[in-house]
């Protein structure tokens, strides 16, 4: 019987559907658990269970989700659990408490280690304590970038489990290429948005302060002073971002030079019409998926010198890295690329090769598949292993589970 993989994450968990489908092809029976509504999973025949938590809350209210996760795991009876995102990474090991192997993937350190607000600074020791506690019931901790791995190892937050570096959640090269091919042409997209002859700088992501939108907006006047034909296209949600969202008035004051499109389903086509990708994030991410999409689109990238970004962008080779919050630095580098389009094309071409070589979904899935086999005690076979048998024994004899705690 195929081992049962339960993959748990937050509201963007649907972005991992290609990962789950690939795992299913590898022989795993997969179930998704997330705070997403679940319709996208149903379209692909992936069972989905919902649990709720507030990603904006830093209080103790979300810990009521512990009981929900514990109940779900009891009902789903997984052989192995994979968690993504900050709160699921904390809740899952604490809920399961070693009864099932848990792999947690640290895809960034989140707002707590990105913001300089006093509340964020005060929460950092709490975060470290909780991660250390969660590590006691974690079979393996996966990191998406070397900076996060170094942080966890420095503060001994890996615990008794082992650490593994698997860069990014992977990008489906064929699916992205197909979406580009089937979508509108660059000329059509430009005409639709009134950008026919413009130099297009694009950003894709949540329109929040942590993503550096204020930094990019601050750079706009300087860029326009030297490149008056430049236009800035912002793609991503805003209304759903609660207290972190950038005010609409702050964006609208730069109209018509700055256009906010909201969430879009045609991101590959939008990237295809652009000349440059700007990513002024202040957020500690794993490997930003949008950088992989921009790279695969052949765009030169100007990004913040932040963990994860420096795993994709090599300064001066396929783009530039600028200190976060440095609007003047971002303006200078954007102007430099727009002023030398030939060099920008060379940079973008390098990114295409880099993404294909290091961040393809197939490569990432192979690494996770091998990791799961190791944790399950297999030696290349996907047959049910000792941990699965133990789960069946606990189902027949609940007191066995109590004795192991």
């Amino acid at each position: 019987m195929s081992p049962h993989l339960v993959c748990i994450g937050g509201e963007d968990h649907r972005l991992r559907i290609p990962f789950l489908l690939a795992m299913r092809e590898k022989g795993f029976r997969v179930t998704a658990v997330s705070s997403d509504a679940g319709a996208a999973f149903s379209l692909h025949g992936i069972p989905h269970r919902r649990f709720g938590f507030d990603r904006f809350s830093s209080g103790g209210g979300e810990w009521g989700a512990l009981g929900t996760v514990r109940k779900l795991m009891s009902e789903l009876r997984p052989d192995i659990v994979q968690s993504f995102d900050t709160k699921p990474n904390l809740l899952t090991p604490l809920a399961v408490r070693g009864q099932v192997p848990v792999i947690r993937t640290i895809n960034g350190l989140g707002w707590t280690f990105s913001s300089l607000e006093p509340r964020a600074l005060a929460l950092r020791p709490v975060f470290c304590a909780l991660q250390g506690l969660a590590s006691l019931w974690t079979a393996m901790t996966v990191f998406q970038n070397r900076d996060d791995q170094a942080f966890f190892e420095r503060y001994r937050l890996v615990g008794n489990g082992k650490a593994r570096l698997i860069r990014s959640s992977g990008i489906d090269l064929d699916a992205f290429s197909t979406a580009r091919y089937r979508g509108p042409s660059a000329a059509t997209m430009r005409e639709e948005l009134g950008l026919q002859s413009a130099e297009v700088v694009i950003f894709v992501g949540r329109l929040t302060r942590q993503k550096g939108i204020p930094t990019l907006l601050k750079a706009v006047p300087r860029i326009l002073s030297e490149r008056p034909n430049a236009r800035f296209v912002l793609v991503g949600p805003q209304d759903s971002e609660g207290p972190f969202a950038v005010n609409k008035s702050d964006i609208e004051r730069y109209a018509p030079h700055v256009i906010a499109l909201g969430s879009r389903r045609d991101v590959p086509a939008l990237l295809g019409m652009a000349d440059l990708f700007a990513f002024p994030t202040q957020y500690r991410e794993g490997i930003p998926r949008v950088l992989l999409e921009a790279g695969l689109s052949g765009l030169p990238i100007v990004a913040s010198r932040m963990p994860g970004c420096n795993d994709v962008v090599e300064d001066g080779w396929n783009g530039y890295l600028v200190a976060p919050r440095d609007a003047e630095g971002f303006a200078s580098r954007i102007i430099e690329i727009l002023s030398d389009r030939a060099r920008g094309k060379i940079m973008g071409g390098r990114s295409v090769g880099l993404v294909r070589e290091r961040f393809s979904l197939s490569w990432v899935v192979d690494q996770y598949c091998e990791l799961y086999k190791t944790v399950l005690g297999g030696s290349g076979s996907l047959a049910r292993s000792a941990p699965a048998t133990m789960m069946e024994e606990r189902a027949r004899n609940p007191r066995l589970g109590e004795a192991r705690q």
Side-chain angles (χ1 to χ4, degrees):
M1 194 176 197
S2 300
H4 186 192
L5 168 66
V6 170
C7 190
I8 181 169
E11 69 176 17
D12 289 334
H13 206 41
R14 62 189 179 279
L15 297 177
R16 299 188 181 95
I17 287 175
F19 173 84
L20 294 176
L21 292 175
M23 278 298 167
R24 192 163 68 183
E25 291 179 1
K26 291 287 186 179
F28 287 88
R29 182 163 58 96
V30 299
T31 299
V33 175
S34 76
S35 54
D36 185 271
F41 297 93
S42 299
L43 289 174
H44 294 277
I46 298 174
H48 177 269
R49 301 291 292 274
R50 190 176 188 278
F51 84 111
F53 65 90
D54 184 355
R55 66 186 172 94
F56 299 121
S57 171
S58 58
E62 67 271 25
W63 294 104
L66 266 174
T68 302
V69 175
R70 185 178 293 116
K71 182 180 178 182
L72 282 170
M73 294 304 121
S74 177
E75 293 174 359
L76 294 171
R77 296 176 57 200
D79 297 305
I80 191 165
V81 181
Q82 168 72 63
S83 65
F84 291 94
D85 304 323
T86 300
K87 288 184 178 178
N89 280 340
L90 291 173
L91 293 168
T92 306
L94 295 177
V96 175
R97 294 173 64 89
Q99 294 187 35
V100 183
V102 174
I103 313 296
R104 57 176 179 168
T105 294
I106 307 300
N107 47 316
L109 298 186
W111 171 81
T112 305
F113 284 85
S114 303
S115 175
L116 299 178
E117 295 179 17
R119 187 161 59 99
L121 297 175
L123 284 171
R124 291 182 184 182
V126 178
F127 171 91
C128 290
L130 290 172
Q131 288 288 3
L133 182 62
S135 73
L136 298 176
W137 296 290
T138 302
M140 183 77 72
T141 301
V142 175
F143 298 93
Q144 293 194 338
N145 65 61
R146 54 185 180 265
D147 294 280
D148 289 350
Q149 182 174 1
F151 177 88
F152 268 64
E153 290 176 344
R154 184 184 314 124
Y155 292 100
R156 300 180 181 179
L157 303 180
V158 176
N160 296 325
K162 297 179 181 179
R164 181 77 63 88
L165 180 65
I166 301 179
R167 287 186 167 91
S168 84
S169 295
I171 183 168
D172 189 332
L173 305 178
D174 292 337
F176 189 85
S177 297
T178 299
R180 276 286 303 272
Y181 176 77
R182 292 181 177 175
S185 66
T188 300
M189 295 298 294
R190 281 173 169 261
E191 185 175 358
E192 176 188 321
L193 298 172
L195 302 170
Q196 289 89 333
S197 60
E199 297 175 329
V200 178
V201 178
I202 193 169
F203 165 91
V204 179
R206 300 179 186 279
L207 303 190
T208 65
R209 297 189 300 276
Q210 285 74 23
K211 293 289 187 176
I213 298 301
T215 298
L216 183 58
L217 294 176
K218 190 175 179 181
V220 167
R222 161 80 197 286
I223 296 169
L224 290 174
S225 69
E226 297 195 36
R227 310 298 300 182
N229 204 31
R231 296 295 181 269
F232 303 82
V233 177
L234 310 181
V235 183
Q238 182 178 19
D239 295 337
S240 62
E241 298 314 296
F244 298 141
V246 175
N247 291 330
K248 288 184 179 180
S249 60
D250 291 340
I251 297 174
E252 291 169 351
R253 64 187 290 198
Y254 292 98
H257 303 101
V258 178
I259 305 169
L261 300 180
S263 296
R264 299 276 294 229
R265 295 182 179 273
D266 55 350
V267 169
L270 289 167
L271 291 171
M273 73 163 188
D275 298 297
L276 182 152
F277 190 84
F279 196 62
T281 186
Q282 301 161 199
Y283 200 76
R284 286 200 62 152
E285 310 194 41
I287 297 286
R289 178 184 175 83
V290 291
L291 289 188
L292 304 185
E293 294 178 338
L296 204 54
S297 300
L299 294 178
I301 300 168
V302 180
S304 299
R305 189 176 286 107
M306 289 289 289
C309 295
N310 54 20
D311 284 69
V312 179
V313 180
E314 183 178 334
D315 193 38
W317 185 72
N318 62 335
Y320 290 109
L321 294 171
V322 181
R325 303 178 181 86
D326 183 1
E328 185 65 24
F330 266 91
S332 296
R333 290 307 194 185
I334 290 172
I335 290 169
E336 185 176 336
I337 291 177
L338 293 180
S339 300
D340 190 347
R341 303 291 288 278
R343 187 170 183 224
K345 281 194 171 184
I346 292 172
M347 284 182 162
R350 290 168 177 164
S351 287
V352 174
L354 177 76
V355 173
R356 287 185 173 276
E357 179 183 348
R358 297 186 186 178
F359 300 103
S360 71
L361 177 63
S362 61
W363 173 240
V364 168
V365 165
D366 284 345
Q367 293 179 84
Y368 271 102
C369 193
E370 189 60 37
L371 175 58
Y372 295 159
K373 291 177 185 178
T374 300
V375 170
L376 287 170
S379 57
S381 169
L382 287 181
R384 290 174 76 92
S385 59
T389 303
M390 288 162 55
M391 281 199 66
E392 291 170 349
E393 290 175 358
R394 281 195 297 272
R396 290 192 296 265
N397 183 5
R399 295 187 63 184
L400 179 62
E402 295 172 0
R404 291 183 180 275
Q405 293 183 18

